[in-house]
């Protein structure tokens, strides 16, 4: 029998007598791999899960704890998703290009993790603005963000980049590591504790797969070379998957993302830019727009060098994007609700006629 407490389970509600408790470790199309007391099983969704890919966020994802109707002679069925402690999601855009987005849905990437490893490399991929985007969504997820700067062996001195991140994200742990030489890997031991779960996030080619392999102490992920001209790589991870490390910690590896769409990140922005929002209370006017009003604490902080203008620009950009996405998402939710009510009314009318 497998002890699911070792897989991070915190006892909430036991499954019905005829079902098993499990944790989703992999998702390939409609097939889920679930680790249960009896071992790994392949499972499908029970028919009561009404699939609506536009607005539903309660479908199982990697990291979820679920109840499973076990079938020893075929695919089992997932009957229930237990409440999530943490959840990382992103905005998934519908349309032709960002400027012509027609709708936005929330895509859940992983659940029930303790740490969010934001992974970027110390080559040409290094980008503070992108790191801040990931940090904003990470704070919103409920997990603790940690910035991992990979490929430290390829640069002579990475102290400058580490300092840049620490200055842009006060209070967030930053580690420079090399999966090739082992630089800095011992600093990660504090996170890789038994029963703890980490989610790996970052663009393709930043070294996520190499880091998974070295922490697993064996080759479990394919690794592809990056392009010399722009330091970019092709996707090596094609689906989300949970790995159990020799230390007893777990990693949820995710495919590289070209862009992270923010969604529902008001709290995350407030946490990432707490220093800026603290200035708002010091402005002379309560409705200060922080542009031309006298007595604006933000303008004063920029003028005297206390606030970096780039940081202020990043804050404004993220707030505008969040508002835009929320409006699109809300419009889609209302449209879906109208369609659902119309379908119910149509069925009722048909029944009345019959």
């Amino acid at each position: 029998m497998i002890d699911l407490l070792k897989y991070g389970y915190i006892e909430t509600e036991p499954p019905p007598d005829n079902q098993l408790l499990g944790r989703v470790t992999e998702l390939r199309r409609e097939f889920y791999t679930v680790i249960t007391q009896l071992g790994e099983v392949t499972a499908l969704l029970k028919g009561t899960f009404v699939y609506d890919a536009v607005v539903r966020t309660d479908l199982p994802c990697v990291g979820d704890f679920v109840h499973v109707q076990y079938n020893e002679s075929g695919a089992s069925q997932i009957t229930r998703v237990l409440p999530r402690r943490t959840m990382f999601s992103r905005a998934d855009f519908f349309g032709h290009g960002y400027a012509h987005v027609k709708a936005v849905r929330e895509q859940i990437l992983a659940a029930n993790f303790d740490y969010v490893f934001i992974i970027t490399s110390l080559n040409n991929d290094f980008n503070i603005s992108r790191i801040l985007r990931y940090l904003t969504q990470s704070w919103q997820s409920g997990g603790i963000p940690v910035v991992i700067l990979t490929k430290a062996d390829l640069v002579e001195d990475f102290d400058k980049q580490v300092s840049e991140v620490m200055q842009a994200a006060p209070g967030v742990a930053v580690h420079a590591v090399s999966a090739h030489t082992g630089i800095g890997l011992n600093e990660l031991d504090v996170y890789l504790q038994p029963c703890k779960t980490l989610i790996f996030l970052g663009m393709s080619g930043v070294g996520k797969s190499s880091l998974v392999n070295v922490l697993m102490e064996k080759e479990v992920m394919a690794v592809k070379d990056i392009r010399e001209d722009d330091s970019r790589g092709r996707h090596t991870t094609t689906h989300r998957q949970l790995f159990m490390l020799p230390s007893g910690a777990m990693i949820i590896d995710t495919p590289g993302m070209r862009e992270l769409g923010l969604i529902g990140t008001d709290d995350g922005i407030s946490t990432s830019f707490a220093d800026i929002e603290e200035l708002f209370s010091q402005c002379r006017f309560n409705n200060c727009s922080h542009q031309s009003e006298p007595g604006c604490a933000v303008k004063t902080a920029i003028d005297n060098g206390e606030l970096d203008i780039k940081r202020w620009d990043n804050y404004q950009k993220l707030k505008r994007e969040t508002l835009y996405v929320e409006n699109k998402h809300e419009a889609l939710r209302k449209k879906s609700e109208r369609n659902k009510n119309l379908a119910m009314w149509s069925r009722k009318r048909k029944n009345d006629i019959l």
Side-chain angles (χ1 to χ4, degrees):
M1 295 288 285
I2 293 177
D3 183 4
L4 287 176
L5 294 178
K6 294 182 179 179
Y7 278 82
Y9 177 62
I10 298 175
E11 295 188 37
T12 52
E13 56 181 288
D17 291 338
N18 61 339
Q19 296 186 25
L20 300 175
L21 174 70
R23 190 174 195 190
V24 177
T25 60
E26 190 175 4
L27 171 59
R28 290 177 182 263
R29 297 183 183 275
E30 71 272 22
F31 292 97
Y32 295 82
T33 300
V34 182
I35 187 73
T36 72
Q37 298 101 311
L38 300 182
E40 278 191 353
V41 302
T42 299
L44 297 169
L45 291 181
K46 189 177 180 180
T48 50
F49 283 93
V50 180
Y51 186 73
D52 180 352
V54 173
V55 297
R56 287 288 294 273
T57 60
D58 57 348
L59 299 179
C61 66
V62 174
D64 269 327
F65 290 98
V66 296
H67 291 168
V68 175
Q69 184 76 53
Y70 179 62
N71 181 359
E72 61 180 9
S73 60
S76 300
Q77 284 189 327
I78 295 175
T79 61
R80 175 170 167 73
V81 178
L82 299 185
R84 295 161 173 154
R85 294 187 293 108
T86 54
M87 180 183 74
F88 194 97
S89 62
R90 68 172 179 177
D92 194 6
F93 300 97
F94 293 87
H96 302 286
Y98 184 84
H100 300 92
V101 170
K102 297 178 180 178
V104 178
R105 73 175 179 183
E106 183 176 10
Q107 181 186 26
I108 310 300
L109 300 184
N112 300 311
F113 45 82
D114 300 280
Y115 299 102
V116 181
F117 271 26
I118 301 166
I119 301 175
T120 190
S121 58
L122 286 162
N123 54 17
N124 294 341
D125 179 71
F126 183 79
N127 185 302
I128 288 291
S129 296
R130 186 186 303 123
I131 292 173
L132 287 175
R133 292 179 65 84
Y134 278 95
L135 276 172
T136 297
Q137 196 72 56
S138 298
W139 284 123
Q140 195 73 30
S141 75
I144 299 173
V146 181
V147 177
I148 307 296
L149 305 178
T150 60
K151 306 184 182 181
D153 57 303
L154 300 183
V155 295
E156 292 184 8
D157 183 10
F158 47 75
D159 289 342
K160 178 183 177 182
Q161 288 99 322
V162 171
S163 296
E164 280 187 62
V165 178
M166 294 179 69
Q167 188 172 18
V172 175
V174 184
H175 302 280
V177 304
S178 169
H180 180 63
T181 65
I183 293 173
L185 292 181
N186 62 320
E187 298 176 12
L188 307 184
D189 290 344
V190 65
Y191 312 107
L192 304 176
Q193 298 299 310
C195 307
K196 297 296 184 182
T197 301
L198 304 78
I199 175 175
F200 277 19
L201 298 171
M203 297 184 68
S204 57
V206 298
K208 290 191 284 90
S209 296
S210 296
L211 189 55
V212 170
N213 287 339
V214 74
L215 294 179
M216 283 290 291
E217 300 177 5
K218 61 181 179 180
E219 187 114 353
V220 295
M221 302 294 295
V223 177
K224 296 180 181 178
D225 292 333
I226 62 172
R227 298 190 296 261
E228 293 282 343
D229 55 347
D230 61 2
S231 298
R232 294 291 175 84
R234 291 176 294 171
H235 297 296
T236 53
T237 303
T238 58
H239 61 283
R240 290 177 283 280
Q241 186 173 0
L242 183 147
F243 296 95
M244 174 68 79
L245 301 183
S247 68
M250 289 152 284
I251 292 174
I252 299 176
D253 190 29
T254 64
M257 290 180 280
R258 295 186 183 278
E259 192 67 54
L260 175 67
L262 303 180
I263 189 166
T265 52
D266 279 339
D267 291 342
I269 292 175
S270 295
T271 302
S272 296
F273 296 90
D275 55 326
I276 289 180
E277 297 200 349
E278 175 64 26
L279 291 172
F280 295 166
S281 63
Q282 302 173 28
C283 292
R284 181 184 301 177
F285 303 107
N286 292 332
N287 61 345
C288 183
S289 65
H290 319 296
Q291 301 201 6
S292 58
E293 295 90 341
C296 174
V298 173
K299 286 176 53 185
T300 300
I302 292 173
D303 291 342
N304 63 26
E306 292 179 8
L307 175 61
D308 188 342
I309 184 63
K310 291 182 179 179
R311 183 165 174 77
W312 172 240
D313 289 342
N314 276 324
Y315 173 83
Q316 292 180 299
K317 179 181 177 181
L318 293 177
K319 290 293 285 187
R320 286 194 300 269
E321 180 180 338
T322 296
L323 179 61
Y324 174 81
V325 169
E326 285 179 352
N327 288 339
K328 289 286 187 180
H329 184 61
E330 180 63 14
L332 185 62
R333 187 194 66 78
K334 290 181 177 179
K335 180 179 179 181
S336 178
E337 190 67 27
R338 286 195 302 269
N339 290 341
K340 187 182 299 183
N341 291 336
L342 182 61
M344 291 176 61
W345 176 84
S346 179
R347 286 195 298 269
K348 183 177 184 301
R349 180 176 174 81
K350 184 182 295 185
N351 291 335
D352 290 344
I353 294 175
L354 295 176

